[in-house]
Amino acid sequence: MEENYLEILNPPQREAVLKTEGPTMIIAGAGSGKTRVLTYRIAHLLKEKNVDPFSILSLTFTNKAAKEMRHRIEELVGTDARNLWMGTFHSVFSRILRSEADKLGYPSHFTIYDSDDSKSLIKNIVKYYGLDDKLYKPNVVLNRISSAKNRLVSWQEYTNNPIYLADDTENGKPEMGKIYKEYVKRCFKADAMDFDDLLFNTNVLFRDHVDVLNKYQQRFKYVMVDEFQDTNISQYLITKKLAAVRRNICVVGDDAQSIYAFRGADIQNILNFEKDYPELNIIKLEQNYRSSKTIVGAANSIIGKNKNQLRKSVWTDNDEGSLIDLIKATTDNEEGKLVASAIFESKNQDHYHNSDFAILYRTNSQSRALEEALRRNNIKYKIVGGLSFYQRKEIKDILGYVRFSVNQNDEQALRRIINTPKRGIGAASVEKLIVAAAENNADLWTALENATQILGGRAASAVNDFVTMIKSFKLTVAKKDAFEAASHIAKNSGLLKELYDDKTIEGRNRYENVQELLNGIKEFVDNPESEDKSMASFLQEIALLTDADNDKDEDKDYVTLMTIHSSKGLEFKNVFVVGMEEDLFPSQMMISSRQDLEEERRLFYVAITRAEKKLYMSYALTRYRFGRLKTCEPSRFLEEIDKDFLKMNLKFSAPSSPAGDYAKNFIGNTTQPVRKPVNQAVVHKPSADFKPSNTSKLAEGDKVEHPKFGFGKVTKIEIQGANKKAHITFEKAGEKTLLLSFAKLRIL
Ligand code: ATP
Ligand code: MG
């Protein structure tokens, strides 16, 4: 091995790499090397234990993470790494489902419906049953179905068990079970699986076909799972079944970073793991290698507020680092400007590249103001996630043709393309064809082929032409590689011409996007790593791209903008967490209980722990949300950070502030007390009846109590702009300067 990896690791990390047999669980804080341990463990199995790469299964949270891990292992052990089974749950098990599809009554070329397809199918079903579409919103229905599937509740169980009906009736949606049933039926008829089916059906496959399960149990001698805290029960059961014979399973995760409970992830899996494997080897990693002491300290002070957690201590040997900059802006646009100029300034001063910065936000819609400011300052940026390339209309249209040429039962693809470009086949005609197919127990394609009997007239002849065209595409797809097939389809479907004829700027953009798609397909075909160069194989690859995988730029030097959810597992030198406002973060929509608040807090912990060197947080006093200007309050999470780690920006920038003025906007906390070592904060047990007082009348000489610093006396009040600061000498904690809008003080 070109690198002696065992020497680089600390003792518990080394133990985790060396102990390859039997069940192992590593639950450890952010940045403690969990992912690195998994990587080295696989390298070790390949190189030192001569394990066949085909017998190692490693599950990651994004495809990008899998790619990076594979790349790293290749550096360590060579091209053997290419043969590892590595990817997201969805991509690995869709591959297995394809080769076993016949056991479930599916063809191996089944289509994967994305959430748009699923929602539009639900919309059709709601209409078909004449239900109220305001009540049965596609989003709501899909979530309900999805959560049932992720708990392995089939439609049969759902409709038979009165609990679900009672629950749905109470929510005013008693027909949910009926929709679930029809949805499953239609997907099956369309030879399609949605995302949740990929896991649900894998469970069914392993439950009903012991021989198949046996085969994979023998194949996968080692099973590994990263980000274990975010697996749902359906995923958990798959790994449990696969590892049942050899029991060589290693899971790594951090309960403090569990952020997908709203999608069915279950921390309970961590607790169950101990029960399922009594011989379990538990390894703790406590040293953080990623972040400065300040960042680790701030993260610890936040997560300590959660009641529901496995206590662990995280520390670091890294430098103290700079304090967290807190940026206060009057508006969301000004927030964008201040962030852009902070990046500009830091690049100049510390010689950072764009790629050393990430801006993280709670919701995608926050990116607009930031993008505008970055563009103005000529700072290259890239939004990861959001409306991905493959979700654009023109791309979906072309792919719709491609999908339908591969699978003629794909109802959602058919609906998309049958009249795009316009060829005189209206929605009513399509509906008639679908109903006719259902009534005659025939598939959709047969109905299309018999359009003359079903529709008659002009519509029928248009459908006949369409059928002839698709037949020729079908042949092309079967005979040619993905690139040749896609080029043929783009040209002969009439789509490319329609876009070419549109000379508006948007039209040009769309045309270029289609060219870009074709480039991407060419790249796929030319890549020596793609074994199967068919269109079906390309479709499979792109159907499973996650938000965080949307990253195919050649030039890598850009600032990354993404939601905190997408940032999991990643690290950046400098991180901005923007929009630190009540109702936005924590999100108003998400917090209806203490548990939800704790999930938001874990999300905040994930955000903070992405940073290596420096962390910035910002909030605006007003923000446009849902089309209205709203005044905002700083997030409660800001108050929860130990003030020792914060530096305040106490001055507003002038609205015309040019880039580069960032430093002037910072006054900083000049009377910063002597820093305490991380993890040894003064602990004061507040009086039982502790209630913060209104501090607007606080004056010099007043005696106060602070929940953490204890008792003290105000020595000076300082007013700066809209902010009031108090200098307080605490009996135990010493001199502190507190911002009164934040500090929780009780006047005695
Ligand atoms: P997260 O919880 O965010 O997923 P993690 O526990 O998976 O974090 P890694 O990403 O594996 O942590 O490691 C964090 C950083 O620390 C990486 O840059 C990694 O290379 C580095 N690192 C881990 N262990 C060591 C070590 N023993 N010596 C030096 N650097 C290390
Ligand atoms: Mg990790």
Side-chain angles (χ1 to χ4, degrees):
M1 235 179 258
E2 49 168 270
E3 193 177 304
N4 195 344
Y5 56 96
L6 289 179
E7 279 171 22
I8 309 170
L9 300 173
N10 67 32
Q13 287 181 327
R14 198 174 309 132
E15 184 195 344
V17 168
L18 292 177
K19 191 158 177 4
T20 55
E21 311 307 297
T24 298
M25 176 161 78
I26 307 172
I27 296 299
S32 58
K34 296 182 296 296
T35 303
R36 180 189 264 229
V37 160
L38 274 192
T39 310
Y40 284 5
R41 199 169 192 269
I42 296 170
H44 183 73
L45 282 169
L46 293 175
K47 197 71 177 179
E48 304 299 325
K49 303 226 154 178
N50 289 323
V51 172
D52 184 353
F54 287 104
S55 65
I56 299 177
L57 169 63
S58 175
L59 297 160
T60 53
F61 207 72
T62 61
N63 295 303
K64 194 172 160 212
K67 220 159 121 188
E68 277 170 16
M69 198 185 261
R70 195 192 291 276
H71 185 73
R72 186 83 193 98
I73 298 172
E74 198 171 328
E75 281 175 354
L76 292 167
V77 306
T79 49
D80 253 9
R82 294 192 191 159
N83 297 326
L84 292 161
W85 280 76
M86 192 174 268
T88 59
F89 272 90
H90 289 97
S91 70
V92 164
F93 293 105
S94 70
R95 208 170 137 193
I96 290 179
L97 282 173
R98 281 201 197 275
S99 52
E100 311 293 342
D102 55 325
K103 317 259 178 344
L104 299 173
Y106 271 94
S108 65
H109 64 250
F110 65 80
T111 298
I112 298 171
Y113 273 177
D114 67 14
S115 58
D116 278 352
D117 294 322
S118 299
K119 280 183 233 162
S120 103
L121 174 56
I122 288 169
K123 224 163 135 184
N124 293 330
I125 295 172
V126 168
K127 205 164 143 202
Y128 171 76
Y129 283 130
L131 298 168
D132 181 353
D133 56 3
K134 286 193 195 63
L135 205 54
Y136 293 94
K137 289 194 181 124
N139 236 344
V140 175
V141 178
L142 182 61
N143 278 343
R144 185 80 176 160
I145 293 177
S146 168
S147 105
K149 282 185 185 165
N150 281 323
R151 280 177 292 127
L152 298 177
V153 177
S154 63
W155 70 260
Q156 289 90 337
E157 196 181 335
Y158 196 96
T159 47
N160 282 336
N161 190 335
I163 288 184
Y164 298 109
L165 180 61
D167 200 27
D168 287 336
T169 310
E170 202 180 302
N171 289 322
K173 301 183 188 69
E175 304 296 347
M176 207 60 109
K178 192 161 117 186
I179 302 176
Y180 184 9
K181 177 179 174 185
E182 182 68 12
Y183 176 79
V184 172
K185 226 175 84 190
R186 294 250 196 132
C187 284
F188 187 70
K189 203 158 171 64
D191 290 339
M193 295 192 197
D194 69 12
F195 289 148
D196 304 316
D197 287 335
L198 297 175
L199 305 175
F200 185 91
N201 287 338
T202 302
N203 270 296
V204 172
L205 178 73
F206 289 163
R207 183 195 64 197
D208 297 350
H209 300 270
V210 181
D211 51 327
V212 177
L213 173 62
N214 237 305
K215 182 167 85 184
Y216 291 100
Q217 281 173 335
Q218 295 305 329
R219 175 175 301 173
F220 299 129
K221 300 194 171 71
Y222 296 90
V223 177
M224 274 162 260
V225 186
D226 198 359
E227 307 280 0
F228 183 62
Q229 75 281 358
D230 282 324
T231 48
N232 60 35
I233 189 75
S234 177
Q235 292 168 322
Y236 181 68
L237 287 176
I238 292 174
T239 58
K240 186 176 162 184
K241 281 183 179 157
L242 282 177
V245 176
R246 303 190 182 260
R247 300 175 82 81
N248 295 329
I249 179 165
C250 174
V251 299
V252 312
D254 178 4
D255 57 300
Q257 293 183 67
S258 159
I259 53 176
Y260 281 96
F262 75 99
R263 250 173 31 187
D266 196 343
I267 300 194
Q268 204 56 33
N269 288 342
I270 292 177
L271 308 173
N272 286 341
F273 203 75
E274 281 193 80
K275 282 192 212 122
D276 286 343
Y277 301 93
E279 77 274 35
L280 184 62
N281 177 32
I282 298 180
I283 296 178
K284 268 195 194 166
L285 306 176
E286 298 188 327
Q287 180 169 2
N288 172 302
Y289 287 91
R290 177 181 294 147
S291 313
S292 68
K293 284 199 176 62
T294 302
I295 292 164
V296 170
N300 282 344
S301 71
I302 283 295
I303 204 64
K305 307 278 185 303
N306 269 7
K307 288 218 169 82
N308 264 322
Q309 57 164 330
L310 306 171
R311 298 274 159 195
K312 45 182 140 18
S313 55
V314 182
W315 58 276
T316 185
D317 234 0
N318 293 343
D319 290 345
E320 196 78 27
S322 26
L323 294 178
I324 301 168
D325 271 352
L326 187 58
I327 304 174
K328 174 176 173 178
T330 38
T331 63
D332 46 357
N333 282 336
E334 195 197 44
E335 182 188 40
K337 272 188 211 160
L338 288 173
V339 167
S341 41
I343 292 176
F344 188 90
E345 197 90 332
S346 171
K347 274 175 66 180
N348 278 345
Q349 244 172 35
D350 308 312
H351 307 290
Y352 280 125
H353 299 284
N354 288 337
S355 55
D356 293 325
F357 296 89
I359 306 176
L360 308 180
Y361 35 76
R362 181 66 184 80
T363 65
N364 272 311
S365 62
Q366 286 169 257
S367 72
R368 188 203 46 82
L370 296 156
E371 284 184 73
E372 226 169 272
L374 291 169
R375 236 179 285 141
R376 265 207 199 119
N377 284 296
N378 278 328
I379 298 173
K380 244 189 116 190
Y381 68 89
K382 174 97 181 228
I383 298 191
V384 177
L387 193 61
S388 88
F389 182 76
Y390 292 104
Q391 285 164 331
R392 296 186 181 143
K393 178 181 184 303
E394 61 277 14
I395 301 301
K396 287 202 116 182
D397 286 347
I398 297 263
L399 291 176
Y401 273 95
V402 172
R403 268 167 57 175
F404 197 67
S405 308
V406 171
N407 169 15
Q408 287 83 46
N409 286 324
D410 186 338
E411 180 187 326
Q412 295 310 312
L414 176 75
R415 285 180 187 271
R416 173 171 277 279
I417 62 170
I418 196 163
N419 205 28
T420 308
K422 297 229 174 335
R423 46 175 74 93
I425 311 173
S429 303
V430 176
E431 216 52 51
K432 268 192 203 159
L433 290 165
I434 289 170
V435 169
E439 280 172 357
N440 294 294
N441 212 6
D443 55 35
L444 191 54
W445 182 242
T446 312
L448 285 170
E449 284 185 310
N450 291 292
T452 317
Q453 283 101 301
I454 301 165
L455 300 174
R458 292 246 308 272
S461 81
V463 173
N464 289 338
D465 290 346
F466 177 77
V467 167
T468 311
M469 180 176 72
I470 294 294
K471 277 183 178 160
S472 84
F473 290 174
K474 196 177 153 187
L475 281 177
T476 315
V477 164
K479 278 200 297 211
K480 307 273 184 175
D481 70 33
F483 175 68
E484 287 168 328
S487 308
H488 178 87
I489 291 174
K491 210 150 109 205
N492 293 292
S493 60
L495 276 180
L496 209 51
K497 181 170 183 323
E498 190 183 48
L499 293 177
Y500 184 78
D501 289 342
D502 181 351
K503 300 292 182 203
T504 61
I505 294 177
E506 295 79 38
R508 291 248 48 86
N509 262 341
R510 282 197 286 266
Y511 181 77
E512 275 162 23
N513 284 339
V514 172
Q515 294 300 341
E516 180 58 30
L517 172 71
L518 294 175
N519 292 341
I521 301 180
K522 182 87 177 91
E523 226 169 80
F524 165 80
V525 168
D526 290 345
N527 186 346
E529 278 179 39
S530 350
E531 280 164 36
D532 179 353
K533 298 183 190 302
S534 71
M535 199 70 237
S537 152
F538 176 76
L539 282 180
Q540 140 114 350
E541 178 140 318
I542 58 165
L544 296 168
L545 291 177
T546 62
D547 273 1
D549 292 324
N550 172 25
D551 177 7
K552 56 198 276 291
D553 216 303
E554 301 280 286
D555 176 5
K556 296 276 184 219
D557 191 26
Y558 49 77
V559 173
T560 300
L561 269 70
M562 52 165 59
T563 61
I564 305 170
H565 278 100
S566 300
S567 75
K568 209 162 59 124
L570 304 179
E571 54 192 22
F572 301 89
K573 296 232 160 47
N574 304 289
V575 170
F576 290 83
V577 188
V578 300
M580 293 298 306
E581 293 139 34
E582 278 297 293
D583 293 352
L584 183 58
F585 192 25
S587 155
Q588 182 187 23
M589 283 186 288
M590 299 302 284
I591 50 167
S592 47
S593 68
R594 171 165 191 94
Q595 272 164 358
D596 296 340
L597 180 63
E598 294 209 343
E599 174 140 327
E600 291 286 302
R601 196 179 280 119
R602 290 193 294 269
L603 195 56
F604 187 40
Y605 175 77
V606 169
I608 294 178
T609 52
R610 299 309 96 202
E612 297 171 19
K613 305 276 182 212
K614 171 125 192 162
L615 193 57
Y616 301 77
M617 289 181 196
S618 63
Y619 64 95
L621 298 176
T622 58
R623 176 180 300 277
Y624 272 97
R625 293 194 71 199
F626 312 112
R628 261 192 280 148
L629 189 69
K630 279 189 59 175
T631 50
C632 321
E633 270 178 63
S635 166
R636 70 187 80 184
F637 290 155
L638 288 174
E639 283 180 52
E640 291 179 359
I641 304 175
D642 190 328
K643 293 297 160 299
D644 279 0
F645 303 117
L646 283 180
K647 183 163 93 181
M648 312 277 180
N649 163 15
L650 298 171
K651 204 173 130 191
F652 295 96
S653 78
S656 59
S657 159
D661 258 4
Y662 169 74
K664 284 189 224 134
N665 293 322
F666 276 72
I667 289 175
N669 195 346
T670 45
T671 49
Q672 198 54 234
V674 181
R675 304 290 314 283
K676 297 184 302 299
V678 169
N679 276 341
Q680 292 180 18
V682 183
V683 182
H684 168 76
K685 206 161 167 281
S687 320
D689 61 343
F690 187 92
K691 271 199 199 82
S693 316
N694 176 354
T695 50
S696 58
K697 292 199 191 79
L698 192 73
E700 276 175 30
D702 279 355
K703 285 195 178 143
V704 292
E705 184 188 5
H706 183 273
K708 184 137 170 248
F709 301 133
F711 298 104
K713 193 168 165 186
V714 179
T715 52
K716 195 172 149 204
I717 298 280
E718 212 182 318
I719 297 176
Q720 248 157 359
N723 292 296
K724 227 172 167 186
K725 285 201 291 186
H727 296 247
I728 303 171
T729 309
F730 288 98
E731 287 168 18
K732 286 196 181 124
E735 270 266 341
K736 301 271 166 194
T737 311
L738 303 176
L739 204 61
L740 288 184
S741 51
F742 281 118
K744 281 196 184 121
L745 287 175
R746 189 164 77 103
I747 305 174
L748 300 172

